[in-house]
Amino acid sequence: MILQFITSPKNVSTVPYTQNFVHGFNPPKDVEILLQKSCFDCHSNNTAYPWYAEIQPIGMLLANHISEGKEKLNFDELKNLGKRQQRSRFTGIIEQIEQNKMPLKSYLFMHKDAALSEKNKKVLTSYFEILKSQ
Ligand code: HEC
């Protein structure tokens, strides 16, 4: 008997988790941990898939968020951009965090630990302000 499963292709590269952004920019550990928890699932080349990704249509919604999110911003590709484009990405990141637009609300529903406290928002925005000024 042949069982067929309809699944979306997974967003998992052979490069170790977060390696690209972390190697490229060498952020402090607290920044790395926050980005990994709150942003990388949808904005990097590696998603830590939750158990519910196997359940449709939730898995398909997540896949849509990832492809749409990566199209707008891929942390693992920032290093390859020119200075001007990098600055504009950093500005966007700061705005999205300050305005509480990211991480997406629908994601927080399933990932409570991805929510950013005021203090952690500041950790991230201060870091990207520094990158912007370099
Ligand atoms: C559940 C997936 C998901 C997570 C987690 C997530 N994003 Fe997003 N992000 C998206 C999607 C989808 C879009 C494009 C649609 C939109 O702007 O709402 C996006 C867009 C963006 C944009 C571009 C906005 C624009 O209009 O140009 C930035 C910047 C961004 N996200 C930053 C972040 C940061 C920083 C985090 C972590 C604090 C984060 N995102 C977490 C899915 C996600």
Side-chain angles (χ1 to χ4, degrees):
M1 188 170 72
I2 297 167
L3 289 178
Q4 285 193 320
F5 295 94
I6 304 164
T7 50
S8 315
K10 294 234 153 129
N11 180 39
V12 178
S13 82
T14 48
V15 184
Y17 200 33
T18 75
Q19 182 172 336
N20 292 341
F21 178 79
V22 171
H23 277 223
F25 291 92
N26 198 20
K29 198 73 193 169
D30 55 346
V31 169
E32 177 187 342
I33 290 168
L34 288 175
L35 289 175
Q36 193 162 321
K37 250 208 287 212
S38 303
C39 314
F40 285 169
D41 270 359
C42 301
H43 293 290
S44 82
N45 290 330
N46 277 292
T47 300
Y49 282 89
W51 59 269
Y52 61 76
E54 303 300 329
I55 298 172
Q56 305 306 342
I58 301 176
M60 279 158 76
L61 284 176
L62 184 66
N64 284 345
H65 282 154
I66 293 166
S67 63
E68 211 188 318
K70 260 176 80 173
E71 206 176 290
K72 293 256 167 127
L73 170 72
N74 185 344
F75 279 96
D76 289 337
E77 284 168 3
L78 285 178
K79 199 66 194 178
N80 308 329
L81 301 178
K83 273 266 173 273
R84 249 179 79 101
Q85 279 188 309
Q86 282 185 352
R87 284 211 185 93
S88 109
R89 295 295 188 289
F90 298 149
T91 303
I93 291 166
I94 293 165
E95 279 173 12
Q96 297 289 313
I97 293 173
E98 281 177 347
Q99 296 167 15
N100 297 316
K101 290 196 178 144
M102 290 287 149
L104 286 182
K105 295 273 183 304
S106 58
Y107 176 79
L108 290 178
F109 184 69
M110 293 301 248
H111 286 86
K112 297 249 185 308
D113 63 333
L116 293 171
S117 64
E118 286 305 314
K119 181 168 158 272
N120 286 339
K121 277 166 63 178
K122 198 76 203 153
V123 169
L124 287 180
T125 54
S126 314
Y127 173 68
F128 285 104
E129 290 288 359
I130 294 169
L131 287 189
K132 225 174 97 176
S133 68
Q134 280 169 356

